[in-house]
Amino acid sequence: MHDDKIVPAVLRRLKKEPEKELNPDSQPEKGELEPISPNKLEEYKYIYHVIGEFEMRKLFSKQVLWKDEGLENFKSNINDVLDYKVNEENKDKINNENKSQTEITNEIVASIMRLSMELLDEKAPAFIIKSLKILYGLFDYIKVHGTKLDIDLNITDSVLTKIKRKLGDANRYVREEAVKLYCYMLTLDFCDYNNLISELLEEELKHSDSKYIPKSPNLIMGKLSIFNKVYDEFDDAINSKRTTKESFPSNLVMDYLIINVNNNKSEVRKLTRAIISKFIRIFGVNKIKKKLEKIEERELIKLINEIPSLEPYFPKLLIKNYSTSKLSASNGSHSSKSGTKTKSKDKNKKIGERRRVKKKTININTINSNNNTIDDKNKNLNKKKS
């Protein structure tokens, strides 16, 4: 079967089930694997000399099945790639510049990052997810082996930018994998903890009113999920000296939370209130009292109901005017006018029935008392006659 007939069907499956591995037994035969350009081999020579040309051709194949197989192989064997050691047999191939083993390892790391950047531009979610997992495996290797990194900052910045974009991807599986990777990066000593937090917010808050800054609910929820995790593990971050209360960019985070606690999506508002609650537990109310005053009154009351300790800080707020029923009504759960009228009619009807029953009871009692009086009179008359 020709490859151009295979690809669309497989792509559709990959989009629907990106986490599901392709089963070779149920797939059509692969087409002939394309050659790879000499320029591509030169660009990724440090990977090429480790995995060989055949695996390189798979990685850069335009055929879905070959590419998926190549990515899976590379992901599974990434430690072997990074463990590559220069020796007498291979030094002429990979080390014609007489670099040290550390320099060679750094070149391999940089090549894997460039490869991941290229793969993150793929359309199929399955390929994007595998690329994110490759980065996860790369960072995990560096953490375990304590690799001393000396990589071009342009590469690391570009990788970070692409990961941030995937936080708001249309595919839920891609978003979850991107959030997982970003949270993992926050636990790594060789990543700047505070800078990773600031990177999520600075550009967006700088142009918060601009239509050019993406404000999709998916992206917002992705970032909020990261902050939720950050505050859950904040004590651990302090204990491991990745950050401090003083250096943590709390103002940036709080500004972002204040914006989104007024969001038009209920799930965004709910998660934001939960994060604010954790923020207050860590930093206290005084640090954010003025910022809380910017929250819409309705949301502030909900927040106070969830965090009773806030109430003394807002004594002028007329909480009594906002009963539970009014709060639920403001969220669209209030009854319709016709429904209210029906309830009123039913209520009036019941009251009328009670009144009628009462009147009937009174009339019966009156009749009984009158009958008793007549009987007494008749008895008296009979006595006089006798």
Side-chain angles (χ1 to χ4, degrees):
M1 187 179 289
H2 198 269
D3 185 60
D4 59 1
K5 294 180 181 178
I6 298 172
V7 171
V10 178
L11 272 175
R12 282 195 295 273
R13 288 184 55 190
L14 286 172
K15 288 179 180 179
K16 289 179 182 177
E17 299 176 309
E19 288 286 68
K20 188 175 180 180
E21 298 295 339
L22 295 172
N23 181 4
D25 298 331
S26 63
Q27 296 302 317
E29 292 181 4
K30 303 183 185 78
E32 185 178 350
L33 189 57
E34 315 96 305
I36 188 169
S37 71
N39 290 338
K40 190 67 73 175
L41 290 177
E42 179 62 25
E43 181 183 356
Y44 293 102
K45 65 179 181 181
Y46 290 98
I47 295 177
Y48 160 53
H49 287 300
V50 179
I51 68 174
E53 183 178 340
F54 188 63
E55 289 297 325
M56 286 291 291
R57 287 165 64 189
K58 290 181 187 178
L59 283 175
F60 294 99
S61 174
K62 293 181 180 179
Q63 300 180 56
V64 174
L65 299 179
W66 278 122
K67 194 177 197 72
D68 184 76
E69 183 179 309
L71 282 170
E72 184 60 32
N73 290 345
F74 191 82
K75 177 174 71 72
S76 302
N77 298 296
I78 191 168
N79 282 2
D80 293 335
V81 176
L82 289 161
D83 275 336
Y84 185 81
K85 297 291 187 294
V86 178
N87 55 40
E88 290 298 322
E89 294 179 5
N90 60 35
K91 69 177 182 180
D92 292 334
K93 295 180 180 179
I94 198 170
N95 198 24
N96 52 14
E97 298 173 5
N98 292 319
K99 293 184 177 182
S100 67
Q101 181 62 56
T102 301
E103 289 174 321
I104 293 292
T105 302
N106 272 283
E107 290 288 359
I108 294 173
V109 169
S111 295
I112 293 173
M113 286 188 173
R114 286 198 302 272
L115 174 64
S116 297
M117 281 193 293
E118 194 167 334
L119 295 169
L120 285 171
D121 289 331
E122 291 284 345
K123 292 182 180 179
F127 296 158
I128 299 171
I129 289 170
K130 280 186 169 68
S131 176
L132 292 168
K133 287 183 175 180
I134 286 171
L135 284 171
Y136 196 105
L138 171 64
F139 296 148
D140 189 58
Y141 179 93
I142 295 169
K143 176 184 178 181
V144 171
H145 292 80
T147 307
K148 294 181 180 179
L149 295 178
D150 183 18
I151 301 170
D152 186 351
L153 289 176
N154 290 328
I155 297 176
T156 56
D157 288 346
S158 298
V159 168
L160 185 59
T161 299
K162 295 209 172 188
I163 294 172
K164 287 190 295 182
R165 287 176 186 166
K166 296 306 172 185
L167 296 173
D169 195 88
N171 186 282
R172 177 170 65 89
Y173 297 101
V174 172
R175 292 198 304 272
E176 289 174 355
E177 197 64 38
V179 168
K180 178 183 174 182
L181 176 60
Y182 209 95
C183 289
Y184 181 64
M185 290 165 65
L186 286 166
T187 68
L188 303 174
D189 292 333
F190 57 85
C191 291
D192 189 326
Y193 185 93
N194 291 340
N195 184 60
L196 285 175
I197 298 294
S198 300
E199 281 281 345
L200 285 174
L201 303 174
E202 279 182 339
E203 191 66 23
E204 186 166 339
L205 291 175
K206 194 187 298 180
H207 307 284
S208 58
D209 297 326
S210 172
K211 64 181 180 180
Y212 299 107
I213 299 296
K215 301 183 181 70
S216 74
N218 287 339
L219 181 60
I220 293 170
M221 288 296 287
K223 292 183 179 183
L224 290 176
S225 298
I226 291 173
F227 296 135
N228 195 40
K229 183 83 170 173
V230 163
Y231 288 134
D232 281 341
E233 301 176 353
F234 196 73
D235 290 341
D236 182 60
I238 290 178
N239 292 335
S240 58
K241 298 181 180 180
R242 281 178 275 130
T243 188
T244 63
K245 283 188 177 182
E246 294 73 27
S247 64
F248 182 79
S250 54
N251 287 330
L252 271 179
V253 176
M254 198 60 206
D255 287 341
Y256 189 72
L257 296 177
I258 295 298
I259 290 171
N260 287 300
V261 80
N262 297 321
N263 193 281
N264 59 356
K265 296 286 185 181
S266 61
E267 63 268 26
V268 172
R269 298 196 303 271
K270 184 177 180 181
L271 181 55
T272 304
R273 290 197 304 271
I275 299 171
I276 290 175
S277 176
K278 294 174 183 179
F279 186 101
I280 291 171
R281 176 182 59 81
I282 295 168
F283 295 99
V285 181
N286 291 329
K287 189 173 181 65
I288 59 168
K289 182 179 179 298
K290 289 186 178 180
K291 294 183 185 291
L292 290 176
E293 292 170 356
K294 298 177 183 178
I295 298 177
E296 290 179 7
E297 202 167 72
R298 180 186 66 182
E299 288 301 319
L300 183 55
I301 289 167
K302 288 181 182 178
L303 195 61
I304 292 172
N305 287 337
E306 293 176 11
I307 315 171
S309 59
L310 281 178
E311 193 169 341
Y313 293 88
F314 299 94
K316 295 181 180 180
L317 192 64
L318 301 177
I319 300 176
K320 292 181 181 179
N321 291 338
Y322 288 83
S323 62
T324 306
S325 60
K326 286 188 178 181
L327 279 175
S328 60
S330 67
N331 284 328
S333 60
H334 58 284
S335 303
S336 62
K337 291 183 179 179
S338 60
T340 306
K341 287 181 180 178
T342 303
K343 288 181 180 179
S344 299
K345 286 181 181 178
D346 292 341
K347 187 176 181 181
N348 291 334
K349 186 177 179 181
K350 288 180 181 179
I351 292 172
E353 287 175 355
R354 284 199 298 271
R355 284 175 179 171
R356 283 195 295 274
V357 170
K358 189 174 181 182
K359 284 181 180 179
K360 287 178 181 178
T361 305
I362 292 171
N363 291 336
I364 290 169
N365 291 337
T366 304
I367 290 168
N368 289 336
S369 63
N370 289 338
N371 289 336
N372 291 334
T373 305
I374 291 169
D375 289 341
D376 291 340
K377 285 182 179 181
N378 289 333
K379 286 180 181 178
N380 292 332
L381 286 172
N382 290 333
K383 285 180 181 179
K384 287 180 180 180
K385 286 180 180 180
S386 59

